[in-house]
Amino acid sequence: MTDGIYTLANDRVYNQLVAILNSIEVNVGKQMPVCVIAYDDNLEKVRAEVAKRENVSLLEDPELFASWEDLSARVWKAHPTAFNIWQEKGIEGVYRIGMNRRYYAFDKEAPFEKFAYFDADVLVLNSLEQIFKALDKNDFVVYDFQYKDPSHIYNIKSSKLLEVFPQSRLESEIFCAGFYAGRRGIFTPEKLDVVVSSLEAGEAEILYMSAPNQSVLNYMIMRSHIPVYNLALELPKSQSTGCAVSSNHFELRDNVLYDRGNQLTYLHYIGVSSKLFNRICDGENLDCPYRDIFLHYRYLHEPENKPKFTGKPIPYNPPPSLGTRVLRKLGLSS
């Protein structure tokens, strides 16, 4: 196997995992190998789902991820305040350490020479031919507009940020870690040593603690001077599409989405809690952007179990009442 797809999951995101696997099956094909990376050992449903699918495997041996988790610990030990702040919030060790297991895709022993990684809260809605074709000439490929907002990638309040990376690089190289494509082996031991030593020398303060994996991966790529090929910047504006669920103008046709006539490569339900997906799948009539297409792929092979809703969906985060708004204005409510 040379090309394949990775995602990251445990039983908390089981409904999303089923949806993304079904979307890959329909829009990419059953011939595409998929590896599910275990977020942790909460995997009973995940194991059962993977066993049903010939092209899907599960990577769950903790030894596979140990060196990458050790790297994450070294990275964050270099940060001046991270461990203390996380500990005050009841978090032991690195916040969401399981997310760092996705780095295994870059391991020289990983299954795929070229890969596309998607978070489980994604639907893959198009062939990935364009992505893998870009990987023929580039080591790292993304397709998003995160470069417009560095505040969820780096600590933009740090005076050191522009000393480490010039504004021109921040405006063209940062990316959302919900999707990226790359090659195994691009992080050599020498490059990782430079990453850690640079952070220990004082650069760690530029990392964004609330999204530690995303921040560190951006830093690893940029500090290693691995060129970032972003299709959102490289494609003509008339051909590029959005990908975020926060965009409300996508058009649904034949169970895929279009942006101004162009078919989306993927839809990322960024910011939508797994709890919301689980409650919807349990039958609660809660609102969610692009809910119908999610439910289509989630229940593709079991339509009899698809929730049947009546009435108007309830907003997941209903607007505050008039009384609450008044109290907030007076400073009497948070």
Side-chain angles (χ1 to χ4, degrees):
M1 294 187 293
T2 58
D3 296 351
I5 297 172
Y6 293 102
T7 190
L8 181 76
N10 64 4
D11 282 358
R12 287 184 62 185
V13 297
Y14 169 74
N15 288 305
Q16 293 151 280
L17 176 65
V18 174
I20 188 175
L21 292 178
N22 287 340
S23 72
I24 292 169
E25 175 185 321
V26 171
N27 298 311
V28 182
K30 289 185 178 181
Q31 78 286 349
M32 177 62 76
V34 180
C35 280
V36 179
I37 296 172
Y39 179 87
D40 55 23
D41 59 1
N42 179 22
L43 297 167
E44 183 177 355
K45 293 180 180 178
V46 170
R47 291 190 187 103
E49 188 62 34
V50 168
K52 298 176 186 176
R53 300 172 184 263
E54 292 184 2
N55 65 316
V56 182
S57 57
L58 177 63
L59 300 173
E60 60 172 312
D61 182 355
E63 287 301 312
L64 296 176
F65 317 117
S67 64
W68 297 98
E69 292 184 342
D70 289 345
L71 174 71
S72 300
R74 290 172 63 200
V75 162
W76 286 103
K77 282 178 182 176
H79 193 277
T81 59
F83 274 102
N84 289 338
I85 291 174
W86 288 335
Q87 194 168 28
E88 288 172 3
K89 295 181 178 181
I91 299 166
E92 293 297 324
V94 178
Y95 175 48
R96 301 183 75 184
I97 185 67
M99 295 295 290
N100 297 275
R101 290 182 167 194
R102 70 174 81 184
Y103 299 155
Y104 177 71
F106 297 107
D107 198 285
K108 63 181 181 179
E109 303 297 332
F112 306 133
E113 180 182 346
K114 296 186 298 182
F115 66 86
Y117 170 84
F118 294 96
D119 277 347
D121 60 344
V122 164
L123 295 177
V124 181
L125 299 176
N126 205 339
S127 161
L128 298 181
E129 180 180 354
Q130 183 174 229
I131 302 300
F132 283 101
K133 187 175 180 180
L135 278 177
D136 288 338
K137 297 181 179 180
N138 303 275
D139 287 336
F140 195 75
V141 176
V142 300
Y143 193 178
D144 66 68
F145 295 86
Q146 189 68 52
Y147 64 86
K148 294 183 177 182
D149 178 16
S151 65
H152 289 81
I153 304 298
Y154 293 119
N155 174 15
I156 60 174
K157 295 180 180 179
S158 169
S159 60
K160 191 178 284 291
L161 179 57
L162 291 178
E163 297 176 15
V164 178
F165 299 124
Q167 189 68 34
S168 60
R169 294 190 68 188
L170 295 174
E171 291 175 353
S172 62
E173 296 182 35
I174 65 172
F175 58 91
C176 172
F179 160 73
Y180 51 87
R183 293 174 173 271
R184 68 186 175 197
I186 62 173
F187 290 116
T188 63
E190 292 77 18
K191 286 182 178 177
L192 293 178
D193 284 343
V194 170
V195 165
V196 174
S197 61
S198 298
L199 291 168
E200 289 174 341
E203 293 184 7
E205 72 172 60
I206 75 168
L207 297 178
Y208 179 64
M209 289 173 46
S210 296
N213 171 267
Q214 177 164 268
S215 185
V216 172
L217 185 55
N218 271 265
Y219 180 88
M220 287 166 61
I221 290 287
M222 294 178 69
R223 171 49 71 196
S224 301
H225 295 281
I226 296 171
V228 176
Y229 186 88
N230 189 342
L231 285 161
L233 289 168
E234 299 292 340
L235 289 173
K237 288 186 178 181
S238 61
Q239 296 178 20
S240 67
T241 74
C243 59
V245 72
S246 54
S247 297
N248 58 15
H249 64 278
F250 300 148
E251 179 186 358
L252 177 63
R253 300 203 306 259
D254 298 325
N255 301 308
V256 294
L257 293 172
Y258 292 81
D259 184 355
R260 296 164 296 142
N262 297 308
Q263 188 172 338
L264 267 66
T265 299
Y266 68 102
L267 177 68
H268 188 189
Y269 287 87
I270 189 167
V272 181
S273 167
S274 61
K275 293 178 182 178
L276 173 58
F277 285 109
N278 293 336
R279 289 173 65 183
I280 289 172
C281 291
D282 286 341
E284 289 190 59
N285 191 11
L286 298 171
D287 198 11
C288 171
Y290 303 104
R291 183 180 75 169
D292 290 346
I293 190 172
F294 168 79
L295 290 171
H296 167 78
Y297 286 105
R298 166 61 182 89
Y299 293 98
L300 184 73
H301 296 307
E302 44 180 314
E304 69 281 2
N305 293 328
K306 186 176 179 180
K308 296 177 176 61
F309 304 115
T310 58
K312 189 176 181 180
I314 301 168
Y316 180 54
N317 292 311
S321 67
L322 175 60
T324 299
R325 294 200 302 271
V326 170
L327 289 173
R328 284 181 181 174
K329 193 169 183 178
L330 295 173
L332 300 175
S333 177
S334 60

